[in-house]
Every structure is written in C-alpha cells, then in structure tokens.
Amino acid sequence: MFFITCLKIISVILAIVGVSFSIPLAVAFYYGESSVYLSFIVPGAISIVLFAVIFLCTRRIKFHLSIKQTFAVVALSWIAASFMGSFPLYFSGCYPEYTNAFFESVSGFTTTGCTVCNDVESLPRSINMWRCLTHWLGGMGIVTLTVALLPLLGVGGFQLIKAETTGPEKGKVTARITTTAKILWLIYAGFTLLETLLLMACGMDFVEALSHGFSTLGTGGFSTRNSSIGAFNSVGIDVVITVFMFIAGVNFSLFFYLITRKFQDIFTNSEFKAYLLIVFVTVLVITFFLLPVYHSFGTSLRYSAFQVMALVTTTGFGTADYILWPAATQFFLFILFFIGGSSGSTSGGVKVIRWVVLGKQLGNETKKMLHPHGVFTIRLNGKPGRDDIVFNVTSFMFLYLILVMITTFFGCLGNLDLTTSFTGALSIVGNVGPAFGNLGPSNNFSMVPEFVKWWYCFAMIAGRLELYTLVIFFVPSFWKNR
C-alpha cells in the first residue's frame, strides 16, 4: 500500500512538472527554437500519461501516510522532480554531461541558484525560462502546490507540507490545509505577476521580466544574463528586484494577515521585527563602508541594499562583485550566509527565527546565573514560548553545522581551497548560490569535480528540506518497525 501511495503522489508531482514544461515550450515556439521542442514535449507527455494510468488504476484506493512514510514521500518527490527537470537541459544538448544537467536542476528546484553554465546568454531563451521556472516551483514547494491543486491529497496533506515547509514551527493560516496552500500560492503568484509588470515598465522584455520574477520570488538567483542583474545597469530594475527580494524573505503567512487586516499579528511577530532590524543595520553599515568606493551615498545604498537582500534571502543575484569590495563589507556579507530569511518564506539558510530563539535563550541562561532559582521562558510574538522549540532549534543547528563540515570536507577532497570549500558548503547547504574564493559571484560551479557535484546535490536537497526530511534516512531506527 505504501508503494502505491508513494507512486501515486510522485506521479502527480511529475505531471505538474511536465505540465510546467508548457511555459518554456511556448517560449520556444514563439522564438522558433525548434531544436528544443522534443526536449520538453516527450518527457512532459510521458509524465502526463504515466499520471493518468496510475490515477485510473488507483482512483478507488484510499490511503493514509504514517510519519515515516511522509518523510519518504516528500524526499522522493523532490528527487523525482529534480530528475524530471533535468531532462530538457540534457536532451536539448545545452548540458551535454548528465551530472551538470542534474546539478542545474537540483540547484533550480532547491532555489540555490548555483550554475555550472559558463555562458547562460548562449542558451535558448526557453531553456533559460525553464531554469528560472524551477526556482518558482521549488520556492513555495512542489508538494505544497500538489496539496493545493489536488484535494485527493487532503488526507495527510498537513504532514506532507510540514515535511517540506521551512522553519521550526509549522501551522495553518486557515482551518483547512488545502485552503492554506491555495492562499499561499495565490499570494505568491500575485507578487510574481506584479514584479513582472514592474520589470517590464523598467525596460525588460516580457520573457526576461517573467524569468526574473520567477527567480526573485523563488529566491533562487538564476538569471538570463552572464553578469546577472548587473548586466541591465538600471537603477529601476535594481530597486524593483531589491524590494521583491525583501518580500520573498518574509513569512508569507504575514501577507495573509495583512489581507485579512490582522495587523496585530504582524506587529507582534518576533521574527519579522528581527528580520527588519538585520536588514536595516546591515544595509546601513555596508553603505558606509562603500562610500570610498562609489563616492555617493545614493549609489552606495543601491549596491549595498541589493547585495544584502540577495544574500540574506539567499536569492544570490548580483549587481557587483563583492569580492572586490573592502574587507569590512565582505565580513558583514559573510555573516549573512549564517542567517537566511524568515521561516515560511521561500528563502533558505538557518532562518531568522532560530537566531531569535537562541538569542532569547542566551538571555535566559544569563538571568539564571544571577537568579539560580528563577523560572524563565522565552517569549515569541508577545507570548510565552515553549521549551521544545529551544530543543528543536539547538538540534537543528548542530545538524546544520555537521552537514556544513562534511560538505566542506568534500570540497577539500575536490582540491578546492579551504575558503572556497567552507563558504561553498555554507552556500550549498543554505541554498544561497554564490560564495567566496573561487566560487564568488564572478565564477560558477563548473570547475567543481563530478563526485563533489553529486554530494552538493544531496546537500542542496537536504538544506531545502530543512535537513531532517532527508538525513533521517541515515538513522538506523527509521528502518525499524516499518
């Protein structure tokens, strides 16, 4: 029964990816890119037929997922989607080596944005559209989209979304999880459309505007230009993308509260206040250090705000090579690799809420030293917190650092220097994109050895699924009493 259930859900996800091929396929038809037609049509058609056959054969079967099975389904769904997404890249001939095609697909769906392509401008526009679209599908979550579209997954739907959603606490903004998923995706799509229109108003054509809208709201970072957003050299485009990167780094539940006029839930949100503070202080400090470089407060603010938002939200876009900036600015940008955006956003990284919890717990431990018999608890969103969230955060941080260390070691095995290996590991596990050293914003991951790329693929998926969903397969007890 588990095999049938797993097969059914994965077939749905593959069909959704296959249907998504219609967007880049339309671009290919419009621009006459006949060489890539079959690369989208054949795998897309196969996925839809496969779904139809499996659905018809299992339509009368009701299923229920245990917690173990939920983890397995979500992890396998992301792996399957990544394989499916690699087919157009590989069969089009744009990525002749399958390792590179799979790496690019995983990087897209996990919204990491690390590329192995040395010249993205030489790619067909349809392929570039697909690369950016993978960010959008993976940003809010392909399993969440599946739950939103298909009520048949209502049973166990909340468990599926919990296994995919980022942050230490998962909740519903409405009573029904399918309604919650639909609302979040509608907000997500609405922001994407708005950004696309604004980018067109700033001079981008429709295809590039939509592509960058997908990348921005998905906090991915794939671009249609080799020099990323810096290639457009437009203040307007920089401002629009900076604003929408900030939006994408906010917990999307807060936008629902904004729409329903629950302003108190926004103003008392501990994570949102900390997110605002981090962004404001970092932008201001880096702007100050950039004044000797750009000799203008406005220009310094423009580049500072863009790069801060690109890294703290793990989008990874670039308008300048921060490796060439003063060391003080690089220090603050490096710190952002450890932070990430908000929980419930499309951002990667550790997440702001975890640092808020650790900071508050540090305050409590200090108070206990002064008042040994006192009872202290953390307060989140104006309410007393729970001890279990502290345990959750500390164990996550330990696991996160362990995975970063292992990934750093793999980089060293691939003959990358220590700086490149360590910052590359932070980038991969945190789904950031660019790093420092030889993996800075002016370089890419094409020079990474093949075996390291495969490990990076595992680390990217693990990081996107908040580690536990994938790492739990390596725990012996997971395989007992199934």
Side-chain angles (χ1 to χ4, degrees):
M1 181 60 70
F2 168 68
F3 175 77
I4 295 174
T5 301
C6 185
L7 189 63
K8 187 174 185 178
I9 295 177
I10 290 176
S11 71
V12 172
I13 288 174
L14 291 180
I16 289 175
V17 176
V19 170
S20 300
F21 287 164
S22 61
I23 296 177
L25 182 60
V27 174
F29 277 121
Y30 183 80
Y31 288 102
E33 297 170 345
S34 57
S35 62
V36 302
Y37 290 170
L38 293 180
S39 303
F40 289 110
I41 293 174
V42 173
I46 291 174
S47 69
I48 294 171
V49 171
L50 180 66
F51 161 71
V53 171
I54 293 175
F55 183 80
L56 289 174
C57 294
T58 61
R59 66 185 185 279
R60 298 183 184 278
I61 300 176
K62 294 183 178 180
F63 60 86
H64 174 75
L65 292 173
S66 67
I67 294 177
K68 289 183 179 181
Q69 291 170 344
T70 298
F71 283 121
V73 166
V74 171
L76 290 174
S77 295
W78 276 80
I79 294 171
S82 297
F83 273 112
M84 184 69 175
S86 69
F87 293 152
L89 304 178
Y90 180 66
F91 291 121
S92 66
C94 296
Y95 293 78
E97 297 178 4
Y98 184 73
T99 296
N100 286 340
F102 185 70
F103 180 94
E104 196 87 354
S105 180
V106 172
S107 181
F109 278 108
T110 60
T111 74
T112 306
C114 301
T115 184
V116 291
C117 183
N118 291 311
D119 184 12
V120 297
E121 293 179 21
S122 67
L123 298 176
R125 301 196 77 178
S126 54
I127 293 295
N128 267 327
M129 171 64 80
W130 174 239
R131 291 169 67 246
C132 296
L133 181 55
T134 57
H135 284 331
W136 197 74
L137 293 172
M140 188 60 70
I142 48 179
V143 174
T144 303
L145 177 60
T146 304
V147 172
L149 293 177
L150 298 175
L152 64 90
L153 293 179
V155 179
F158 185 50
Q159 288 297 326
L160 287 170
I161 290 180
K162 281 180 67 178
E164 180 184 62
T165 306
T166 60
E169 288 194 303
K170 283 83 171 176
K172 307 176 185 179
V173 296
T174 63
R176 292 176 58 83
I177 189 60
T178 53
T179 304
T180 296
K182 289 176 182 176
I183 288 173
L184 294 179
W185 265 94
L186 284 173
I187 294 172
Y188 188 50
F191 277 131
T192 305
L193 176 60
L194 178 58
E195 184 188 1
T196 300
L197 294 174
L198 291 174
L199 289 176
M200 290 176 66
C202 292
M204 279 191 187
D205 64 44
F206 173 70
V207 172
E208 285 198 305
L210 183 59
S211 297
H212 287 95
F214 287 151
S215 288
T216 305
L217 268 300
T219 62
F222 279 159
S223 177
T224 60
R225 301 296 183 94
N226 292 329
S227 300
S228 191
I229 307 304
F232 297 98
N233 194 27
S234 168
V235 175
I237 290 175
D238 288 359
V239 171
V240 169
I241 292 181
T242 299
V243 170
F244 279 92
M245 283 193 292
F246 174 85
I247 289 172
V250 175
N251 189 324
F252 273 73
S253 298
L254 298 187
F255 297 119
F256 174 77
Y257 297 145
L258 181 64
I259 294 170
T260 54
R261 306 177 68 84
K262 296 180 180 179
F263 302 122
Q264 189 64 24
D265 290 328
I266 299 174
F267 297 143
T268 59
N269 188 275
S270 302
E271 183 179 38
F272 182 59
K273 290 187 287 186
Y275 177 63
L276 285 174
L277 182 63
I278 291 169
V279 169
F280 177 78
V281 171
T282 311
V283 168
L284 197 62
V285 170
I286 292 181
T287 298
F288 171 77
F289 285 114
L290 286 180
L291 285 175
V293 178
Y294 294 108
H295 310 291
S296 165
F297 179 80
T299 304
S300 299
L301 178 62
R302 168 189 170 187
Y303 286 103
S304 171
F306 188 97
Q307 204 59 65
V308 167
M309 294 315 309
L311 291 183
V312 76
T313 63
T314 70
T315 306
F317 281 141
T319 52
D321 189 348
Y322 55 76
I323 300 296
L324 304 178
W325 286 357
T329 64
Q330 294 183 45
F331 168 79
F332 285 97
L333 292 176
F334 176 69
I335 295 299
L336 298 180
F337 277 72
F338 292 89
I339 297 177
S342 305
S343 59
S345 70
T346 60
S347 301
V350 173
K351 302 295 183 302
V352 173
I353 186 60
R354 291 191 172 95
W355 291 110
V356 171
V357 170
L358 290 178
K360 289 179 177 289
Q361 185 61 22
L362 174 63
N364 286 343
E365 294 300 325
T366 304
K367 292 176 184 177
K368 286 180 182 180
M369 294 178 65
L370 299 174
H371 308 283
H373 302 291
V375 178
F376 305 98
T377 183
I378 62 173
R379 295 182 65 85
L380 294 174
N381 306 331
K383 302 175 183 178
R386 309 187 312 268
D387 288 339
D388 62 328
I389 195 173
V390 179
F391 302 145
N392 178 295
V393 169
T394 51
S395 60
F396 174 88
M397 294 296 292
F398 176 77
L399 184 58
Y400 191 90
L401 292 175
I402 290 295
L403 186 57
V404 168
M405 292 299 105
I406 295 174
T407 305
T408 300
F409 177 65
F410 267 85
C412 292
L413 287 179
N415 292 321
L416 303 179
D417 63 84
L418 184 57
T419 298
T420 301
S421 297
F422 178 59
T423 59
L426 287 173
S427 178
I428 289 292
V429 177
N431 305 136
V432 179
F436 286 83
N438 294 326
L439 296 177
S442 295
N443 301 304
N444 59 54
F445 284 68
S446 61
M447 41 79 74
V448 175
E450 188 170 303
F451 78 94
V452 179
K453 288 175 183 174
W454 282 104
W455 174 262
Y456 279 0
C457 288
F458 167 80
M460 283 189 284
I461 296 176
R464 173 57 182 85
L465 297 181
E466 298 267 278
L467 308 186
Y468 293 110
T469 302
L470 207 58
V471 175
I472 197 171
F473 290 104
F474 297 91
V475 178
S477 60
F478 176 83
W479 302 99
K480 298 178 181 178
N481 302 320
R482 291 194 60 181

